[in-house]
Structure formats: structure tokens, C-alpha cells
């Protein structure tokens, strides 16, 4: 299990077989596949695990109908096979769910084109699970749906998950195989000599604590400033840079990644009740946008824009994106229009897209991953949440840690990826279970604090649980219940709790709330 955070200085005493940089789903997958093969592997994440894109996706473990529509059959087939594997292996975390692709007169694709696409989609997955829903049946199921030009819907199935819980589950498995992971450690430089890489790393937790301390402890500051931003060096025989949208910063090669932002909004399920995932073509640009139930709320997204903001800060869902998503919902449902005040929270993420270099529309760039090497450093970026196992195999083969025969065998193996049981509290991370209240919520929090390397309050409330996404004002109303558990397990004093609570509310305010109408919208494209 992940357990408590190790002191980074204790990680300097050995030469690792492999250091994986980046604690998103890609890094976690590589970590697990290396650890299960007996490698001495260490994973380092500059912030919290899944802090990057892997807590901000559309939470779909899917083949991706649009990739099939773009002719990307291999990516769709691989994703669908991995979807089926995850459905079988993690039934409490990856859940099959019905999707409805609504069809309106005069819009492409129509019923028969969709039927052909879904036949191929199911065929590639090895299932048969789609059918036509007449307009009457569709409206009986979704009485609020605007019936103008509505012809019906194709019903098919795909899967939903909780992306950051999926990352945590993969990390637990890697640790149970003997791997070691550490959050809040930033890799700042990679050099190599005599077949050994030296990584300069910064302990950002130490840095955070030192910053907090330095205001109150002028005289004691020798001790803390000695540690503040202290650079440690770690050694390893292999290194894989799995830093997603940040990959160009460490790859040592020419720039390849085109960061693209995608945003979602969350609204109360009572305000927009949907039991199934709706795939709707946006009236503005014909892009598919999803409206789906997730952890007790309704989620709407996503957008697709070039993201030029500084990647050291969390991305923000812009005013223009909110308007775009509200426009979609309000064009499809004949209820009282959704407005800003209905939005519980927003969430923006940055896709690591491998640039085609052709300057094409962001939505048209391929979603495949790429692995490349420069001066011995293997970099992997792009791809999807769904295909993390296959991405890991590609990266490990490029690093020379698995040979071509084993690679081929592992790609097709039916051997389970998850061998250990992790007894998490019921429904933690179940994509269709509402956040519990009272004793059940406290049980989830207690377990997470014991076993999941929580350093800051936002780790607990935005990634290990989704309190901050699904409750209004970041779940301010449950902080009083959370406080004694944090103080008990993390040893926080009253002052530390106050500092953490204010840091958390600041993050919620800046990055997960609705920007005011006059906020300049960045990258609105
Ligand atoms: C809006 C949106 C919707 C999506 N929807 C889906 C979906 O429904 N299904 C699907 O399959 N895929 C989806 N994706 C794609 C998927 O989310 C990403 O491909 C995946 O999460 C990328 O994972 P990653 O590990 O490569 O990157 P990340 O999750 O970003 O992880 C990289 C990590 O590296 C860390 N890092 C960076 N620099 C350093 C450093 N110097 N030292 C240490 N650590 C460092 C970062 O902090 C970060 O946590 C979506 C993406 C977006 C943006």
C-alpha cells in the first residue's frame, strides 16, 4: 500500500533500477508493470498523485467513439480491450454504464451511420450491446429532453470510473509488489555518467513547511532554511519521464507536446437528472459533449482548447467554456435554463497531446501516445487513461526493461493486472455512488488518511475523495468533521489545520469555482 510518505532523504541511499517521474496514470502504470517484474522502482511526483491531468479527465474508461469516427481503429480496439479488462478486474471502480447518443433530424451522424459505427465498436470490444431507442422511449426516460427534431437515440455501453482513485489503486498495487512512491518531490534535472542517471530533486513538502515556518521562526530558521528547497540527488540505472503535459521540460529533446485544456462543470443531480450518459453534439461546432451522472452529481463536459497558461498552476475553466457548456445543456433540455448559480464546481485539465505540427483544430489532433528517447532518458506522453497498461509496456520496452518477446506476450496476456486485494471502504471511488455522509464519510476519510500518503488537505478532499468537486463551496460544511481525523492521523496542530483549511479554500476559490462574468477568458479560441 502507499502508506505514509517516506522522507525523501531516505531514498538517496541506493541506486534504483528505475525512477519514474510523474504520478499520473501513465507513471503509475509504468511503476506497477516494473514493480511486478521485480525491478527496484521509485516513482516521484512533484505535487500530489493524480494532481495533473489524471484527476481531471471525463472519467470514461472507453474506446472513444470519436476516435473510431476519425478512423483510429487501433487506438479504439486497444482501448476497448483494456476497458473490458478493467471492468472485470476492478468492478467497484470501473463500472459499465449505458450511453445514449441522441440523434436529431438533419444532423450527422444519423441512425444508420451510428448503428454501423456501434456495430464495429462492439465488435472490437468483443461484445454486442447496442440498440435503437425510439423518440417515445427516449422521452419516457428523459422527459426534460427538448423534442425539437429528435429522432431517437442509439443506446450502447461504455464505462465510468473515478480517475484519481484509479491512479491510487494502481499505485497501491505497485507498492504491494515492492515499489516505492513519493509525492511532493520535483525532479529538476537529469544527468548521466557511466550508465547511471543522477536526478536532482526538490522536496516540495519540506519547502512548503519551511515557508510556513519561516514567518514564525526567525531564529530557528537555520534549521529550516537548510532544508528549504534543498536539492537531493538520487541515482538510477533507468529513468522514464512520464510527466504528461510537462514532458517537454525534462525530455531533453525538441518540443512535442501541445497542451490542450478540457473543462467540466458539475451541477446537482436534482437540477439536471440523468441516469445514463448522454453524448450530444454541441450546436455550435458539432463536437460531442457528455452529460453524465457521476458520484451523485451531474457532470457536463468537455471542451477542447489550446492551453498556453503557465503549467505550474492548476488550470482554470474559463468563462467562455462555462458559457459553451451551459449553452449545450440549455439547447437540449426544456427545463428552466441552467445558470452559474446552479454550478457546484468546475474542473479543468490539460491533455498532453502529441502535436501533429500541422496547426489543426485542437479536437482533430490524435489522442495516441508516443515514446521517445534522448540521451538515454525515455519520455512518454499523450494517450489516454484507459490505455495506461499498454502505454506502460511501450515505455518499459523502450527503456530495455522488457524484451520484445515478453512485450508481445504481456500485451495480449489474460493474466490479471491486479493480484492483491485492497480493502478500501465500500463505495470509495465508485463512479455512481454519491459521496456518503456521517459515519460512512468519516470511515472513508479515516482509511485514506491511514493508507494513502495524504500531505495536504486538498489531497484528501480533491483527489483521494471528491468532496471538493461534488459539494458546494468545496465541502466547507464537512470540514468540522474532517478536522479531528486529520489532526489525529497527520499530527496537525490547530495552527497547521488553520493553514491547511485556508490553503484548501483558496485552491477551491481560484481553480474550482465559477469565474465572474468579467473575468478575462484565457485561451478561449
Ligand atoms: C478534459 C479531459 C478529459 C479526458 N477524458 C478522458 C477520458 O474520459 N478517458 C480517457 O481514457 N482519457 C481521458 N483523458 C486523457 C487522460 O486524462 C490523460 O491522457 C491522462 O490522464 C494523462 O496521464 P499522465 O499520467 O500522462 O499525465 P498527468 O496525469 O498529468 O501526470 C503527469 C504528472 O507528472 C507530474 N510532474 C510534472 N513535472 C514533474 C517533475 N519535474 N517532477 C515530478 N513530477 C512531475 C505532474 O505534476 C503530473 O501529476 C482526458 C483528458 C482531459 C484533459
Amino acid at each position: 500500500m502507499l502508506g505514509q510518505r517516506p522522507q525523501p532523504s531516505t531514498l538517496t541511499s541506493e541506486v534504483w533500477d528505475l525512477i519514474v517521474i510523474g504520478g499520473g496514470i501513465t507513471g503509475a502504470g509504468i511503476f506497477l508493470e516494473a514493480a511486478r517484474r521485480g525491478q527496484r522502482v521509485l516513482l516521484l511526483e512533484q505535487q500530489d498523485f493524480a494532481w495533473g491531468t489524471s484527476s481531471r479527465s471525463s472519467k470514461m474508461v472507453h474506446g472513444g467513439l470519436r476516435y473510431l469516427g476519425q478512423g483510429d481503429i487501433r487506438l479504439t480496439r486497444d482501448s476497448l480491450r483494456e476497458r473490458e479488462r478493467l471492468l472485470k478486474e476492478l468492478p467497484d471502480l470501473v463500472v459499465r454504464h449505458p450511453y445514449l447518443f441522441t440523434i436529431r433530424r438533419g444532423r450527422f451522424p444519423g441512425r444508420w451511420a451510428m448503428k454501423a459505427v456501434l456495430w464495429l465498436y462492439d465488435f472490437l470490444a468483443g461484445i454486442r450491446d447496442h440498440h435503437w431507442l425510439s423518440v417515445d422511449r427516449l422521452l419516457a426516460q428523459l422527459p426534460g429532453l427538448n423534442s425539437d427534431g429528435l429522432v431517437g437515440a442509439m443506446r450502447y455501453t461504455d464505462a465510468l470510473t473515478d480517475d484519481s482513485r484509479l491512479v491510487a489503486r494502481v499505485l497501491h498495487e505497485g507498492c504491494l509488489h515492492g515499489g516505492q512512491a513519493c509525492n511532493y518531490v520535483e525532479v529538476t534535472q537529469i544527468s548521466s555518467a557511466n550508465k547511471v542517471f543522477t536526478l536532482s530533486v526538490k522536496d516540495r513538502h519540506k519547502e512548503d513547511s519551511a515557508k510556513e515556518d519561516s514567518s514564525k521562526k526567525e531564529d530557528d530558521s537555520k534549521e529550516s532554511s537548510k532544508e528549504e528547497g534543498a536539492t537531493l540527488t538520487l541515482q538510477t540505472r533507468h529513468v522514464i519521464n512520464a510527466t504528461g503535459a510537462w514532458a517537454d521540460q525534462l525530455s531533453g529533446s525538441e518540443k512535442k507536446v501541445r497542451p490542450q485544456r478540457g473543462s467540466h462543470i458539475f451541477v446537482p443531480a436534482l437540477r439536471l437528472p440523468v441516469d445514463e450518459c448522454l453524448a450530444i453534439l454541441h450546436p455550435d461546432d458539432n463536437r460531442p459533449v457528455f452529460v453524465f451522472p457521476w458520484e451523485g452529481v451531474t457532470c457536463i463536459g468537455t471542451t477542447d482548447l489550446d492551453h498556453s497558461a503557465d503549467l505550474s498552476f492548476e488550470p482554470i475553466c474559463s468563462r467562455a467554456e462555462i458559457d459553451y457548456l451551459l449553452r449545450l445543456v440549455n439547447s437540449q433540455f426544456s427545463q428552466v435554463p441552467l445558470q452559474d448559480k446552479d454550478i457546484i464546481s468546475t474542473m479543468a485539465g490539460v491533455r498532453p497531446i502529441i502535436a501533429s505540427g500541422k496547426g489543426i483544430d485542437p479536437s482533430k489532433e490524435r489522442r495516441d501516445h508516443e515514446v521517445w528517447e534522448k540521451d538515454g532518458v525515455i519520455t512518454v506522453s499523450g494517450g489516454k487513461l484507459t490505455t495506461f497498461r499498454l502505454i506502460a509496456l511501450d515505455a518499459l520496452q523502450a527503456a530495455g526493461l522488457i524484451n520484445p518477446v515478453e512485450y508481445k506476450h504481456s500485451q495480449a496476456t489474460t493474466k490479471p493486472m491486479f493480484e492483491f486485494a485492497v480493502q478500501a471502504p465500500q463505495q470509495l471511488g465508485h463512479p455512481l455512488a454519491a459521496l456518503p455522509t456521517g459515519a460512512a464519510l468519516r470511515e472513508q476519510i479515516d482509511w485514506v488518511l491511514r493508507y494513502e500518503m495524504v500531505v495536504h488537505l486538498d489531497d484528501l478532499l480533491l483527489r483521494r475523495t471528491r468532496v471538493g468537486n461534488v459539494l458546494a463551496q468545496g465541502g466547507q460544511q464537512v470540514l468540522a468533521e474532517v478536522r479531528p481525523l486529520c489532526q489525529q492521523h497527520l499530527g496537525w496542530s490547530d495552527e497547521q489545520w488553520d493553514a491547511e483549511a485556508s490553503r484548501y479554500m483558496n485552491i477551491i476559490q481560484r481553480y474550482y469555482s465559477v469565474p465572474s462574468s468579467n473575468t478575462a477568458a484565457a485561451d478561449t479560441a
Side-chain angles (χ1 to χ4, degrees):
M1 303 279 285
L2 269 173
Q4 296 301 313
R5 182 175 184 265
Q7 277 298 327
S9 54
T10 62
L11 305 171
T12 58
S13 55
E14 67 179 290
V15 179
W16 297 87
D17 291 334
L18 170 66
I19 292 185
V20 180
I21 312 170
I25 192 66
T26 306
I30 297 165
F31 174 72
L32 167 57
E33 290 302 320
R36 82 155 81 257
R37 288 170 172 78
Q39 305 284 342
R40 288 288 302 145
V41 55
L42 171 67
L43 178 142
L44 301 173
E45 163 56 50
Q46 65 174 356
Q47 298 274 352
D48 183 31
F49 305 121
W51 173 85
T53 313
S54 300
S55 55
R56 304 157 191 272
S57 78
S58 299
K59 287 96 178 74
M60 292 175 187
V61 171
H62 64 164
L65 271 182
R66 57 190 278 218
Y67 314 132
L68 194 56
Q70 289 167 352
D72 212 335
I73 291 189
R74 193 180 57 83
L75 177 62
T76 315
R77 183 206 59 197
D78 289 351
S79 307
L80 286 168
R81 287 184 185 167
E82 292 305 301
R83 178 192 77 184
E84 292 303 302
R85 178 191 297 276
L86 288 165
L87 279 165
K88 201 151 85 190
E89 290 200 38
L90 297 177
D92 297 331
L93 191 54
V94 181
V95 176
R96 200 185 293 280
H97 202 64
Y99 281 57
L100 295 174
F101 188 96
T102 56
I103 292 180
R104 289 184 191 268
R105 202 165 295 118
R107 300 289 298 268
F108 183 81
R111 173 177 175 177
W112 299 108
M114 269 314 286
K115 189 167 172 51
V117 168
L118 286 171
W119 180 87
L120 181 57
Y121 197 66
D122 277 359
F123 173 77
L124 293 172
I127 61 168
R128 197 178 183 292
D129 202 4
H130 66 270
H131 62 262
W132 174 248
L133 216 60
S134 69
V135 78
D136 290 347
R137 283 181 63 200
L138 180 59
L139 287 174
Q141 225 163 301
L142 275 167
L145 201 62
N146 179 348
S147 59
D148 291 349
L150 196 63
V151 180
M154 286 303 299
R155 187 182 182 280
Y156 63 103
T157 57
D158 238 322
L160 284 173
T161 191
D162 178 325
D163 45 6
S164 60
R165 293 274 353 137
L166 182 63
V167 173
R169 180 64 186 85
V170 176
L171 290 173
H172 281 311
E173 188 77 13
C175 292
L176 288 163
H177 279 286
Q180 174 90 64
C182 191
N183 51 5
Y184 294 97
V185 176
E186 178 189 5
V187 176
T188 54
Q189 210 183 347
I190 308 172
S191 58
S192 70
N194 303 324
K195 299 195 170 163
V196 172
F197 293 93
T198 300
L199 271 56
S200 307
V201 306
K202 220 192 253 181
D203 179 354
R204 293 181 71 162
H205 178 39
K206 205 69 168 185
E207 193 180 42
D208 288 348
S209 336
K211 272 188 203 142
E212 282 151 23
D213 282 359
S214 63
S215 53
K216 25 186 181 54
K217 283 200 208 163
E218 276 285 315
D219 289 342
D220 282 352
S221 66
K222 274 192 195 131
E223 195 50 35
S224 50
S225 66
K226 199 170 64 187
E227 300 284 354
E228 185 175 352
T231 299
L232 302 169
T233 53
L234 302 180
Q235 295 202 307
T236 179
R237 282 178 269 276
H238 299 274
V239 60
I240 300 182
N241 166 24
T243 54
W246 293 259
D248 289 333
Q249 296 175 4
L250 287 174
S251 69
S253 58
E254 80 282 8
K255 201 169 164 319
K256 275 187 186 267
V257 180
R258 179 178 177 184
Q260 285 179 8
R261 189 173 69 249
S263 297
H264 295 82
I265 56 178
F266 298 94
V267 300
L270 277 176
R271 190 66 181 81
L272 184 61
V274 289
D275 291 333
E276 310 193 321
C277 303
L278 299 183
I280 301 170
L281 298 177
H282 198 293
D284 287 6
D285 54 11
N286 230 28
R287 282 184 60 255
V289 176
F290 291 96
V291 179
F292 57 100
W294 188 74
E295 304 202 4
V297 296
T298 298
C299 182
I300 305 158
T302 176
T303 56
D304 219 339
L305 305 161
D306 280 316
H307 180 74
S308 58
D310 184 346
L311 288 175
S312 3
F313 297 100
E314 297 194 39
I316 300 175
C317 173
S318 71
R319 182 67 250 167
E321 288 170 280
I322 291 176
D323 291 341
Y324 173 89
L325 296 174
L326 289 179
R327 229 169 18 250
L328 169 93
V329 173
N330 292 333
S331 71
Q332 299 293 318
F333 291 89
S334 50
Q335 43 155 34
V336 181
L338 280 189
Q339 303 171 28
D340 280 7
K341 65 178 168 48
D342 297 307
I343 299 173
I344 300 171
S345 69
T346 66
M347 177 188 70
V350 182
R351 290 185 190 83
I353 299 288
I354 303 299
S356 62
K358 295 179 188 156
I360 53 177
D361 184 88
S363 288
K364 302 219 161 72
E365 291 279 16
R366 295 190 64 221
R367 273 22 182 183
D368 223 346
H369 66 280
E370 195 170 315
V371 180
W372 67 101
E373 183 269 344
K374 182 82 199 298
D375 300 331
V377 176
I378 304 298
T379 295
V380 54
S381 185
K384 298 169 50 150
L385 198 70
T386 311
T387 46
F388 71 88
R389 192 187 71 92
L390 299 177
I391 299 176
L393 296 177
D394 284 353
L396 289 172
Q397 188 191 35
L401 288 167
I402 51 178
N403 64 41
V405 176
E406 188 185 349
Y407 171 78
K408 267 226 126 45
H409 174 260
S410 302
Q411 273 190 318
T413 186
T414 51
K415 213 175 136 207
M417 184 178 359
F418 296 92
E419 295 171 34
F420 294 95
V422 172
Q423 304 292 357
Q426 248 197 343
Q427 307 221 310
L428 178 61
H430 191 293
L432 296 168
L435 185 79
T437 54
L441 176 63
R442 287 195 297 277
E443 190 200 346
Q444 288 193 354
I445 288 179
D446 185 83
W447 187 86
V448 162
L449 289 169
R450 275 173 206 272
Y451 301 114
E452 297 204 319
M453 214 179 282
V454 169
V455 170
H456 289 295
L457 190 55
D458 45 296
D459 306 343
L460 173 67
L461 300 184
L462 280 166
R463 288 170 290 277
R464 305 299 185 283
T465 68
R466 296 311 195 125
V467 167
N469 303 106
V470 303
L471 295 184
Q473 276 101 43
Q476 202 168 17
Q477 85 254 29
V478 300
L479 292 191
E481 274 183 272
V482 173
R483 176 181 182 150
L485 294 167
C486 286
Q487 293 199 281
Q488 179 197 335
H489 290 292
L490 306 177
W492 288 347
S493 62
D494 291 345
E495 281 164 335
Q496 276 170 303
W497 167 265
D498 290 345
E500 284 293 337
S502 112
R503 170 193 152 106
Y504 172 67
M505 290 314 298
N506 198 23
I507 289 173
I508 291 292
Q509 197 54 44
R510 287 181 72 167
Y511 305 112
Y512 294 87
S513 302
V514 178
S516 64
S517 307
N518 50 15
T519 307
D523 303 315
T524 48

